[in-house]
Amino acid sequence: MTFRAPVSEYEFLLNHVVGYDAIPATDRFAEATSDVVSAILNEAGKMCGEVMAPLQRNGDLTPAYLENGVLRTSPGFGDGFKAIAEGGWIGMSAPEEYGGMGLPLTVATAVNEMMAGACLSLQLAPLMSQGQIEALEHHASDAIKELYLPKLISGEWSGTMNLTEPQAGSDVGALSSKAVPNGDGTYAVSGQKIFISWGDNDFCGNICHLVLARLPDGGPGTKGISLFLVPKFLPDADGNPGKANDLKVVSLEHKMGLHGSPTCVMQYDGAIGWLVGAEHGGMAAMFTMMNNARLGVGGQGVGAGEGAYQHALAYALERKQGRTASGTIVDHADVRRMLMEMKAELFASRAILLACAQAIDMQAATGDKTWASRAAFLTPIAKAFGTDTGIRVAETGVQVHGGMGFIEESGAAQYCRDVRVTAIYEGTNGIQSMDLVARKMMDGGEMASALIDEIEEQAERARATHPNMAESVWQACESLREATEWLVSQQDMQDRFAGSVPYLRAFARVLGGHYHLAAAMADQGGPREKLARFYITRMLPEHSGLLAHAQAGAAGTFALSLEELAG
Ligand SMILES: Cc1cc2nc3c(=O)[nH]c(=O)nc-3n(C[C@H](O)[C@H](O)[C@H](O)COP(=O)(O)OP(=O)(O)OC[C@H]3O[C@@H](n4cnc5c(N)ncnc54)[C@H](O)[C@@H]3O)c2cc1C
């Protein structure tokens, strides 16, 4: 099946829904006008359809493997990565002085999502490099930046991110990898890291690992962690890959999906590394990478969902079963319901993704702290809702296929298996939700309130043309405001945490209503108005059940004893 990058959807969202025009109105991004962005999206879309999409099945059917310690990637992945690199898509938002395009993250987010829709497991490779580029740009010494950034941006070298250890997953502070100063400005890094995405490949000249480890005087917990850049090959005097470093891929994980992306167990045995950021300041540096990656993973969810949707629609248009006007299943009401839900949900999650990216760009361009708080608040929502959407849409895609959905040849199941991990890595969606109701509400709910005000203001304006839809969004907003006030007033954090996932989902539902309403106003009588009506009438009401759950407190979740849970 061919993949068609959703370029026109992006153009509509940027120009009519999320207010992209604020970005080129800044000095920093003055050149990234809508016309330029359209040309970029079209070019990227072509690459996604022609180069990446044909590789999607290869990754699943012929996974990466280790041959005598050498990692072999899926057929065509090397050429695919080269095409991504040559198109400049790795360094889209990286600084121009190091060879990047200097584009807004909003544009990079759109392109990343399209690449994820075409081939998720390959797209993860440039995504990892992008996160590393951003971390080095902000925290590394000039010498490191000058050597590594051009090579990472050009795709000559690739980047990884090493946090997880067997005993340290969500609790990164429990890690035990060590780093000892060598006395010459370098460090000897030792320890085992698990689940390292693209921990090796056979198409880049060097693999650069960002590794979290503890210095001898590093205290316990996250405050005692430092970040090190540990390359597979030590650069020689000319900056070319030289002697092999003391690290290796011990094994590859056997996964339920995303087979084209090698997930490595990495062993570091006194490997030479360079400090990035301050001693014991590793988490601050890593957070730069993680925030970028969280938005990126949200985009992976939406992208995979888009691929699954296109797959399901193509099947529904061909499959003959039962008596319908067209003779195919696409005219059964329940099949239409599924397709409409998929499309409406993708629209909502894509809009949230772009709104988050836009806030990051505006903060970078203006230095305004309000944009920074907005970006911080929207990041966990974009990550968790984007990936939940991808999973739900891919699962519905299987259902649209009927029995064929359960049969691997149809390709529908691959979307389901591949996208499932996006709710787990880069901070599980549970951890994202806790972040939303705790750290992101340390302002007493101010940012949540500001967003709610904004949604209500638009709903007031929409009353003139879309009174019913506007009223539904306005009412949903009031319920969200009440729930937010309830959450903020809870002293026992367990009461907030117990309802954090339904709260995040409800917030996303209401934001989805907001962006659909904007689309309805911009496309009166058009398909986006019809889709908005579907979402606001049939999907937005879900917020009320979610908010009831969000405000129920922790006691009920602990109501059963451990014996009763097992009983
Ligand atoms: C395919 C794949 C690729 C990955 N790639 C990378 C990578 O490139 N680099 C890297 O460093 N890591 C990577 N990871 C690791 C990933 O980030 C972790 O798996 C994830 O952070 C969860 O950690 P864990 O697996 O130890 O689960 P756990 O932390 O054990 O979590 C188990 C469950 O408990 C919940 N939980 C844990 N702590 C809390 C808490 N405090 N409050 C509430 N609930 C909690 C979780 O939400 C989850 O539901 C990858 C994982 C996979 C599967």
Side-chain angles (χ1 to χ4, degrees), residues 358-537:
Q358 187 208 30
I360 295 172
D361 284 329
M362 290 305 291
Q363 191 273 327
T366 65
D368 185 334
K369 285 204 173 70
T370 314
W371 283 112
S373 313
R374 186 183 173 98
F377 190 86
L378 288 174
T379 297
I381 302 179
K383 195 274 177 181
F385 187 63
T387 57
D388 278 351
T389 294
I391 291 166
R392 209 168 30 246
V393 166
E395 196 273 329
T396 309
V398 168
Q399 194 68 16
V400 169
H401 281 76
M404 277 313 288
F406 203 67
I407 306 302
E408 286 291 352
E409 284 137 68
S410 75
Q414 185 189 343
Y415 287 107
C416 252
R417 291 184 286 99
D418 284 359
V419 75
R420 186 61 187 84
V421 72
T422 59
I424 296 170
Y425 62 29
E426 262 334 301
T428 64
N429 286 1
I431 299 286
Q432 303 299 327
S433 308
M434 289 164 64
D435 177 48
L436 182 70
V437 301
R439 240 159 51 88
K440 304 297 163 64
M441 286 199 183
M442 270 165 33
D443 60 0
E446 205 178 303
M447 183 39 67
S449 234
L451 281 165
I452 291 169
D453 289 346
E454 191 178 314
I455 301 170
E456 285 193 347
E457 276 161 31
Q458 180 187 262
E460 288 297 350
R461 284 199 306 279
R463 284 187 194 282
T465 50
H466 298 83
N468 295 339
M469 282 199 256
E471 176 63 12
S472 300
V473 172
W474 195 89
Q475 287 295 346
C477 237
E478 278 302 288
S479 308
L480 185 60
R481 191 187 295 283
E482 243 174 63
T484 305
E485 285 165 3
W486 183 89
L487 275 182
V488 171
S489 68
Q490 298 312 301
Q491 299 306 315
D492 184 343
M493 289 309 280
Q494 287 290 73
D495 285 325
R496 289 197 200 185
F497 291 152
S500 62
V501 167
Y503 177 77
L504 183 148
R505 287 180 179 161
F507 212 114
R509 269 272 156 273
V510 178
L511 278 171
H514 172 62
Y515 293 123
H516 269 292
L517 187 55
M521 290 195 286
D523 190 31
Q524 292 184 39
R528 286 171 176 112
E529 184 189 53
K530 294 172 198 162
L531 191 66
R533 184 163 293 114
F534 179 90
Y535 178 95
I536 291 172
T537 312

Side-chain angles (χ1 to χ4, degrees), residues 128 161-164 168-171 194-197 255 258 263 421 424-428 430-431 434:
M128 301 306 294
M161 158 173 178
N162 291 235
L163 290 81
T164 309
S170 302
D171 183 10
I194 61 167
F195 299 161
I196 304 309
S197 295
K255 310 192 294 282
L258 211 66
T263 306
V421 72
I424 296 170
Y425 62 29
E426 262 334 301
T428 64
I431 299 286
M434 289 164 64

Side-chain angles (χ1 to χ4, degrees), residues 223-245:
K223 291 203 173 94
I225 296 175
S226 307
L227 183 63
F228 300 89
L229 178 61
V230 187
K232 176 178 172 185
F233 296 108
L234 297 167
D236 64 17
D238 299 323
N240 296 315
K243 187 174 160 281
N245 208 347

Side-chain angles (χ1 to χ4, degrees), residues 51-64:
V51 179
M52 292 184 73
L55 301 174
Q56 156 92 342
R57 294 295 285 150
N58 291 11
D60 200 45
L61 298 173
T62 315

